[in-house]
Amino acid sequence: MIVVMKKTATDKEIDAVIKRITDMGLQPHVSQGEERTIIGIVGHTQPIDRNVFEMMNGVEKTVPILSPFKLSSRDFKPEDTIIRLNGVKIGGEKIVIIAGPCSVESREQLLETAHAVKEAGASILRGGAFKPRTSPYSFRGLGLKGLELLAEARDETGLYVITEALSAEKVSLVASYADIIQIGARNMQNYALLEAVGATNKPVMLKRGMMATMQELLMSAEYILSKGNNQVMLCERGIRTFETYTRNTFDINAIPALKMMTHLPIIADPSHGTGKWELVTPVARAAIAAGADGIIVEVHPRPEEALSDGAQSLKPEKFAALVREVKAIAEAIGRSA
Ligand code: PEP
Ligand code: MN
């Protein structure tokens, strides 16, 4: 349920509602809108008596949230969430371009890629230091060394850095290097990990599990939001279907559908969504046209030498062309890049 405060509600009246909620053993989540404050109530398993709140001073009305996801729903917060990293806004009018290698492999590889993606127009650098691999015998990342290299690339280029945390125990280490923590598809329902990133103050990009419905994705986002971290963006990265020509089936429906269901920014990953570099640019174009708030794209200077995901990595020149194209599409739909 949400409690919608009157435009004229005072801080004292808002505090009284918050206190009433906590006295009932429930958790209040305050959202300060442009015009009014709304307070979400979560944690109840039984219906709450709406009169208790509707009789309080400063309260305009209460609204039940019928969907199982609460804090991520548009009912709770009608306006888009914008995640702000000094200078870069995710979820605003401008689309955000995130790019870099699948894995951090070496200093040379990372710095060369970072400079190239920055030149092409990216504002955030991706690169895995801890890699979730299907086979334990595959390259699993440089670990701490990879995080240090990402920090060096940030210092050299001014790009922000996103990288994956694979387990709850590693969250504080990753958070100390990254500007955005990535939760991978394989970990979308690792609830201990979700709660651990929910307890940080770092933005989180939550990737859709390869066999997860949109509702399950939103329920996972709820784990992070309910811990108090409201800087969450979602990522559509393709789901597993009976089609085997592509690595995954990029679910274009998910972009406008999630935009309707939730206020959280939606990022598209056409690299994992297709698995083939030839398909990355057309799917990136489609995702922006469908309303994605940004894209995350794998780029490698020599994809044939990549230690992971070379087949879906773009060379820097191809990536630069992609950025030019998605920019034009963004502008055509009233956004910018
Ligand atoms: C990645 O971003 O390199 C990655 C492993 O993605 P996903 O979790 O979507 O498979
Ligand atoms: Mn990858």
Side-chain angles (χ1 to χ4, degrees):
M1 190 175 90
I2 54 178
V3 179
V4 180
M5 302 301 296
K6 288 185 178 146
K7 276 188 206 167
T8 53
T10 62
D11 287 350
K12 218 167 142 204
E13 288 165 345
I14 295 170
D15 289 345
V17 172
I18 293 171
K19 184 167 182 307
R20 179 68 61 88
I21 297 167
T22 45
D23 286 351
M24 291 164 88
L26 305 171
Q27 296 115 45
H29 287 267
V30 180
S31 165
Q32 187 65 63
E34 288 210 343
E35 294 220 310
R36 61 184 84 234
T37 299
I38 59 180
I39 305 168
I41 308 179
V42 293
H44 51 290
T45 46
Q46 303 292 321
I48 309 173
D49 181 1
R50 294 167 65 175
N51 285 324
V52 170
F53 293 97
E54 288 187 346
M55 278 165 13
M56 292 182 76
N57 290 334
V59 172
E60 181 163 304
K61 59 178 176 181
T62 61
V63 183
I65 301 182
L66 299 175
S67 61
F69 46 94
K70 310 285 179 197
L71 302 173
S72 57
S73 81
R74 282 261 180 217
D75 295 334
F76 170 58
K77 184 170 180 279
E79 71 272 17
D80 290 338
T81 283
I82 298 181
I83 296 171
R84 290 179 167 82
L85 298 165
N86 225 356
V88 175
K89 286 186 191 164
I90 306 167
E93 172 246 302
K94 192 170 170 176
I95 60 162
V96 66
I97 313 274
I98 309 172
C102 177
S103 303
V104 178
E105 299 171 1
S106 68
R107 191 167 180 275
E108 297 65 36
Q109 172 247 15
L110 185 66
L111 293 179
E112 186 180 347
T113 315
H115 283 289
V117 300
K118 171 155 184 160
E119 176 84 359
S123 52
I124 303 173
L125 175 68
R126 63 149 292 144
F130 296 98
K131 294 302 301 177
R133 301 305 300 274
T134 303
S135 164
Y137 311 120
S138 300
F139 175 65
R140 290 161 73 185
L142 297 180
L144 176 59
K145 179 79 197 148
L147 295 177
E148 288 169 355
L149 291 172
L150 285 164
E152 188 180 339
R154 170 178 46 214
D155 292 346
E156 230 186 86
T157 60
L159 290 166
Y160 290 102
V161 161
I162 177 168
T163 195
E164 180 164 351
L166 275 186
S167 63
E169 303 75 65
K170 285 286 194 298
V171 165
S172 58
L173 175 69
V174 171
S176 66
Y177 286 88
D179 300 298
I180 305 173
I181 306 172
Q182 175 171 325
I183 302 298
R186 292 158 189 78
N187 266 323
M188 189 202 84
Q189 288 181 314
N190 179 338
Y191 301 120
L193 176 58
L194 299 179
E195 292 196 325
V197 294
T200 71
N201 56 5
K202 288 276 159 147
V204 176
M205 185 177 80
L206 175 65
K207 299 189 88 175
R208 181 179 180 181
M210 59 186 87
M211 282 161 285
T213 63
M214 290 182 244
Q215 183 165 308
E216 286 164 341
L217 172 62
L218 291 168
M219 294 315 297
S220 288
E222 250 0 75
Y223 271 86
I224 306 172
L225 297 165
S226 63
K227 278 281 164 189
N229 185 347
N230 52 24
Q231 302 188 88
V232 178
M233 66 197 96
L234 306 174
C235 178
E236 164 57 38
R237 48 75 75 203
I239 48 175
R240 185 166 280 186
T241 66
F242 54 78
E243 181 56 71
T244 54
Y245 178 76
T246 43
R247 178 178 180 184
N248 290 295
T249 298
F250 184 84
D251 183 6
I252 194 80
N253 298 353
I255 308 277
L258 286 168
K259 289 298 289 182
M260 286 190 326
M261 289 188 267
T262 180
H263 52 85
L264 300 174
I266 314 296
I267 305 297
D269 177 348
S271 308
H272 295 86
T274 62
K276 286 179 157 51
W277 71 264
E278 297 94 323
L279 303 182
V280 170
T281 299
V283 172
R285 291 192 298 239
I288 294 302
D293 296 298
I295 46 172
I296 180 165
V297 178
E298 289 187 339
V299 177
H300 197 290
R302 288 163 295 281
E304 61 291 351
E305 290 172 19
L307 298 181
S308 61
D309 290 351
Q312 65 193 36
S313 297
L314 290 182
K315 289 186 181 163
E317 321 78 78
K318 290 259 179 337
F319 172 67
L322 176 157
V323 174
R324 286 195 293 275
E325 293 175 17
V326 298
K327 241 181 190 169
I329 292 172
E331 281 158 16
I333 57 166
R335 301 186 78 165
S336 61

